[in-house]
């Protein structure tokens, strides 16, 4: 891990730049507060903040899906009449995520090879 002095310098620089963007009117106060709350504390202590727009780590909970599969009223249950549509939409979302990830990786590799 990087040294604490380096981390503190970087955090200080980020905070200063965010304050400049806020004072310039580029960031509104709500955006500034959201970003600022996500920054680690001095010394690299991670923030406990989770942006509600992203839902945090509970977005994909295999345990919950397994529990839903036991409930006959849930589309996750193989005996449910809408199970096929549920699986299809779930697989589609996974495929879209994989495609996006591959595209982002290729784009990043392309930019890095140019630079």
């Amino acid at each position: 891990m990087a040294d604490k002095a380096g981390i503190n310098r970087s955090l200080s620089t980020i905070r200063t730049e965010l304050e400049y963007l806020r004072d310039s009117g580029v960031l509104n106060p709500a955006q500034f507060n959201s970003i600022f709350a996500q920054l680690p504390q001095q010394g690299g202590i991670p923030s406990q903040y989770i942006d509600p727009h992203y839902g945090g780590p509970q977005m994909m909970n295999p345990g919950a899906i397994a529990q839903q599969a036991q409930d006959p009223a849930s589309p996750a249950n193989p005996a449910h009449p809408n199970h096929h549509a549920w699986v299809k939409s779930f697989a589609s979302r996974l495929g879209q995520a994989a495609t996006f990830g591959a595209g982002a990786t290729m784009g990043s590799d392309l930019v890095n090879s140019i630079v």
Side-chain angles (χ1 to χ4, degrees):
M1 183 168 178
D3 65 306
K4 289 189 189 256
I7 291 170
N8 289 338
R9 275 193 306 276
S10 295
L11 288 171
S12 177
T13 301
I14 292 169
R15 287 185 175 101
T16 302
E17 295 296 328
L18 285 172
E19 289 165 355
Y20 173 78
L21 291 173
R22 179 197 59 200
D23 296 342
S24 300
V26 175
L27 292 176
N28 67 39
Q31 291 171 318
F32 173 79
N33 291 335
S34 175
I35 296 168
F36 205 80
Q38 295 176 57
L39 291 176
Q41 303 302 313
Q42 294 287 32
I45 300 167
S47 170
Q48 298 301 314
Y49 179 85
I50 296 174
D51 192 329
H53 291 101
Y54 300 107
Q58 68 273 18
M59 288 177 70
M60 173 65 176
N61 186 346
I65 293 173
Q67 195 124 33
Q68 290 172 357
Q70 303 303 315
D71 179 12
S74 172
N77 187 316
H80 193 277
N82 295 335
H83 179 70
H84 179 73
W86 181 85
V87 170
K88 187 175 178 181
S89 73
F90 187 75
S92 173
R93 285 182 272 157
L94 288 176
Q96 290 170 356
T99 303
F100 176 79
T105 301
M106 289 188 326
S108 173
D109 291 345
L110 177 66
V111 169
N112 288 334
S113 69
I114 293 170
V115 175

